[in-house]
Amino acid sequence: MDLIKDIDIITAEEAQACDFKTTADENTGKSKKLYIESYGCQMNFSDSEIVASIMKESGFDTTSDFEQADVIFLNTCSIREKAEQTVRKRLSQFQTAKKNKPELTIGVLGCMAERLKENLLTEEKIVDVVVGPDAYRDLPNLISAAEEGEKGVNTFLSREETYADIAPVRLNSNGVTAFISIMRGCDNMCSFCVVPFTRGRERSRDPHSILAEAQDLFAKGYKEVTLLGQNVDSYKWSPEENNKARLNKKEDEVTEVVNFANLLEMVAQVSPYLRVRFSTSHPKDITDEVLYTIKKYDNICNYIHLPVQSGNSRVLDLMNRTYDREWYLNRVKAIREILGEECGISSDMITGFCTETEEEHQDTLSLMEIVKYDFSYMFFYSERPGTLAAKKFEDDIPLETKKRRLAEIIAKQGELSFERNKLDLYQEQLILIEGTAKKSDQQLKGRNSANKVVIIPADKAKKGDYVRVRISEVSQATLFGEVLEVNPVLA
Ligand code: SAM
Ligand code: SF4
């Protein structure tokens, strides 16, 4: 799933689907080839860049063709059942490759590895290694053992690991925008969610290493970084302790604490020509201090991904989201007051959670109408084994009802996206060009501060340029712009 995807008109089935990204060809003369397919969220794509870096040190270049590979990794997602089914189906498609090349090593990494552990080796005979998200430093050992015919599993979850010292190998990069992982794990216990079980406790990465990564990307020509975490507003680091739960207990014993607003400011100061984005914000944690920091720096984008999940307070309580409808709407009010109408706001929504009534579903639709989201990622509830909801509640909403409710919120979001996009008509905006447009090579695609895709003619600018445009036309998914100025002075 693209973190920031255009909202085209999608069906309920498509909303639940799981995309993947593969490695590109890199030939630096290493003796062996690694092929990675990454599923799920942007955190997973970022992890694959860490994995590629660790494997590079151990003699592997990446390839885009799994038939050329000595090692195939599937970096997996467990968030919905469909994501796991996709991976199992894909594994079966590698049977022929393994038959033709018995020395091929196949590894399952990420959340599914963590959730299923050694069971994966018995259930999927083709798999040689199973490695959880905190054990990637052990990959070279496990791969050597697998080459000797020994299958291996490492799903140890760490309380401190952040891979801060590992310089990611950029995969699928457009050379303009990059993701920087700032924290790992999650200490929230949303009752529907498998993440706390598959990615462990929350820990924050050393801000100096984050800053160094942002500076290095900027020096290499990148113009935008997105700071990534399951709950970025909860970022909290001290030189003595990076584990959130432990740090909260001994806050008066540490020499310094860096919070998310501090970190945002540090990264924003790299250069006015380096845009800064972040994701995901949890409604219970986003502070006015963060909103004022966004306001203070033109290069921090005016866009907040603030997943609500449901518009009904009883359902939010069952989901253990720790906020209610009123709290959420107050946070949106603060965003509008501090950052204005033009700040982009997007959401994640789950329909058909356990016991959700028709009226409660209507509350989600009415909340969407009040907030007027620019776009949303929308799913129907998928029960995950081991989660609080699976243990405590019956998954009692029929699939057809879940899908119908999902189709209704998708349709509502379509209307709202169009309504919001119309407000951009004839406005002057600054966009950053990311490359050629999907539909025509006569057009370039950029994004405005609010994270909306803006299309301009290709002859006026090039990838990596900042362009001041006037929005001349809008659709539900896209804005079209006239070029006013290329690479204006931003300092
Ligand atoms: N940490 C982020 C937050 O709290 O907003 C979300 C991370 S999760 C990888 C992305 C989204 O997947 C969630 O916001 C939720 O909407 C959806 N999701 C998680 N568990 C789900 C489940 N069991 N069924 C359906 N959707 C789910
Ligand atoms: Fe899952 Fe909730 Fe953590 Fe997001 S905040 S990763 S939904 S437990």
Side-chain angles (χ1 to χ4, degrees):
M1 172 176 88
D2 250 355
L3 178 81
I4 295 149
K5 205 193 263 181
D6 313 2
I7 292 289
D8 280 323
I9 303 169
I10 49 172
T11 63
E13 286 297 341
E14 282 167 338
Q16 212 78 352
C18 190
D19 291 346
F20 65 83
K21 285 188 181 169
T22 64
T23 35
D25 293 303
E26 195 195 33
N27 204 340
T28 62
K30 307 272 187 208
S31 58
K32 294 190 249 175
K33 293 279 181 204
L34 166 69
Y35 172 82
I36 314 179
E37 267 176 24
S38 315
Y39 293 78
C41 64
Q42 194 56 55
M43 289 291 289
N44 241 17
F45 301 145
S46 270
D47 276 7
S48 290
E49 299 188 332
I50 288 167
V51 168
S53 175
I54 292 170
M55 294 294 285
K56 196 171 179 177
E57 288 294 305
S58 162
F60 286 82
D61 274 333
T62 53
T63 172
S64 61
D65 176 6
F66 72 81
E67 291 186 342
Q68 302 296 317
D70 300 285
V71 171
I72 294 177
F73 286 151
L74 297 190
N75 191 359
T76 61
C77 170
S78 284
I79 202 84
R80 284 167 289 277
E81 194 185 351
K82 178 94 184 186
E84 291 200 1
Q85 284 166 354
T86 310
V87 166
R88 287 191 190 266
K89 202 158 141 213
R90 188 66 178 140
L91 279 171
S92 69
Q93 291 166 353
F94 290 129
Q95 298 282 9
T96 324
K98 184 99 171 175
K99 216 175 261 165
N100 294 341
K101 195 175 179 183
E103 68 279 18
L104 175 68
T105 303
I106 296 187
V108 174
L109 316 183
C111 289
M112 214 173 143
E114 193 61 51
R115 198 177 82 72
L116 297 166
K117 302 189 169 53
E118 39 284 320
N119 294 339
L120 255 180
L121 290 184
T122 26
E123 288 166 18
E124 304 288 344
K125 297 278 180 265
I126 194 178
V127 175
D128 301 296
V129 295
V130 175
V131 189
D134 287 346
Y136 295 148
R137 289 182 201 267
D138 197 23
L139 277 169
N141 297 330
L142 291 162
I143 295 301
S144 306
E147 283 166 355
E148 302 301 317
E150 199 184 310
K151 295 199 174 206
V153 178
N154 187 344
T155 51
F156 172 74
L157 279 179
S158 159
R159 284 176 179 258
E160 295 89 20
E161 178 66 273
T162 60
Y163 301 109
D165 56 316
I166 293 179
V169 169
R170 301 288 159 192
L171 304 170
N172 308 107
S173 168
N174 57 14
V176 180
T177 59
F179 291 88
I180 302 182
S181 180
I182 65 163
M183 60 206 292
R184 300 183 72 80
C186 182
D187 280 355
N188 295 323
M189 272 288 172
C190 300
S191 62
F192 52 79
C193 186
V194 80
V195 168
F197 305 96
T198 60
R199 303 193 74 97
R201 300 307 299 263
E202 184 178 313
R203 57 231 113 109
S204 296
R205 177 178 164 191
D206 185 331
H208 307 98
S209 79
I210 297 169
L211 189 62
E213 191 171 329
Q215 284 163 335
D216 179 58
L217 284 163
F218 185 63
K220 289 181 172 143
Y222 285 81
K223 300 278 180 61
E224 182 181 297
V225 292
T226 301
L227 308 180
L228 274 186
Q230 291 300 350
N231 183 1
V232 287
D233 298 274
S234 162
Y235 178 92
K236 197 169 184 183
W237 178 89
S238 77
E240 291 81 9
E241 183 61 77
N242 77 348
N243 177 283
K244 176 83 183 281
R246 286 195 210 141
L247 177 53
N248 279 346
K249 280 195 197 130
K250 52 176 177 185
E251 202 167 335
D252 38 357
E253 292 167 36
V254 298
T255 48
E256 176 200 5
V257 171
V258 178
N259 68 17
F260 184 57
N262 308 142
L263 178 72
L264 254 187
E265 181 144 33
M266 284 164 74
V267 179
Q269 285 172 350
V270 168
S271 165
Y273 291 89
L274 183 71
R275 272 185 166 184
V276 187
R277 297 189 187 276
F278 54 89
S279 189
T280 296
S281 288
H282 193 294
K284 82 170 156 51
D285 292 309
I286 189 162
T287 59
D288 288 356
E289 188 191 4
V290 166
L291 300 179
Y292 282 114
T293 309
I294 300 173
K295 188 181 166 82
K296 185 170 163 195
Y297 290 91
D298 285 344
N299 57 325
I300 303 182
C301 290
N302 241 343
Y303 165 60
I304 298 172
H305 183 54
L306 194 69
V308 69
Q309 314 296 359
S310 163
N312 175 269
S313 295
R314 188 190 73 89
V315 175
L316 286 170
D317 187 39
L318 290 183
M319 287 177 163
N320 201 23
R321 287 290 287 182
T322 69
Y323 56 84
D324 60 11
R325 178 180 169 105
E326 195 190 351
W327 170 279
Y328 186 90
L329 289 174
N330 271 326
R331 289 288 73 210
V332 171
K333 191 160 164 251
I335 294 171
R336 291 286 173 235
E337 277 167 12
I338 297 168
L339 296 170
E341 254 328 292
E342 64 276 18
C343 180
I345 305 182
S346 61
S347 187
D348 293 349
M349 244 93 63
I350 300 178
T351 62
F353 187 65
C354 316
T355 72
E356 183 192 63
T357 65
E358 234 20 77
E359 291 71 38
E360 289 166 341
H361 163 61
Q362 290 299 327
D363 285 344
T364 300
L365 290 163
S366 75
L367 179 130
M368 291 172 77
E369 188 66 58
I370 297 170
V371 179
K372 300 209 186 298
Y373 293 111
D374 292 274
F375 39 91
S376 296
Y377 300 108
M378 297 157 282
F379 316 98
F380 61 76
Y381 174 58
S382 163
E383 184 179 84
R384 307 310 295 129
T387 55
L388 292 181
K391 286 183 192 151
K392 279 170 56 184
F393 314 125
E394 193 191 336
D395 180 12
D396 59 349
I397 307 297
L399 184 60
E400 283 319 305
T401 309
K402 288 180 180 175
K403 285 187 180 173
R404 194 250 308 143
R405 290 181 188 168
L406 177 56
E408 285 172 16
I409 67 166
I410 291 173
K412 167 64 71 187
Q413 184 55 59
E415 288 165 23
L416 294 175
S417 296
F418 198 25
E419 195 180 314
R420 286 283 298 170
N421 285 356
K422 282 189 209 155
L423 298 177
D424 290 317
L425 206 51
Y426 311 122
Q427 302 292 323
E428 279 188 28
Q429 297 183 346
L430 184 71
I431 66 170
L432 173 62
I433 305 297
E434 293 176 6
T436 307
K438 249 191 287 177
K439 291 189 180 146
S440 158
D441 58 7
Q442 303 301 306
Q443 294 175 323
L444 292 172
K445 168 189 132 169
R447 278 180 201 271
N448 67 11
S449 181
N451 202 33
K452 294 183 192 173
V453 173
V454 182
I455 303 291
I456 63 164
D459 56 340
K460 299 274 174 33
K462 59 180 186 321
K463 188 161 92 168
D465 283 343
Y466 280 103
V467 181
R468 205 171 285 288
V469 297
R470 179 178 295 109
I471 304 301
S472 51
E473 204 187 319
V474 302
S475 73
Q476 189 175 300
T478 321
L479 312 180
F480 296 85
E482 273 163 32
V483 175
L484 301 177
E485 190 183 3
V486 178
N487 289 322
V489 175
L490 300 179

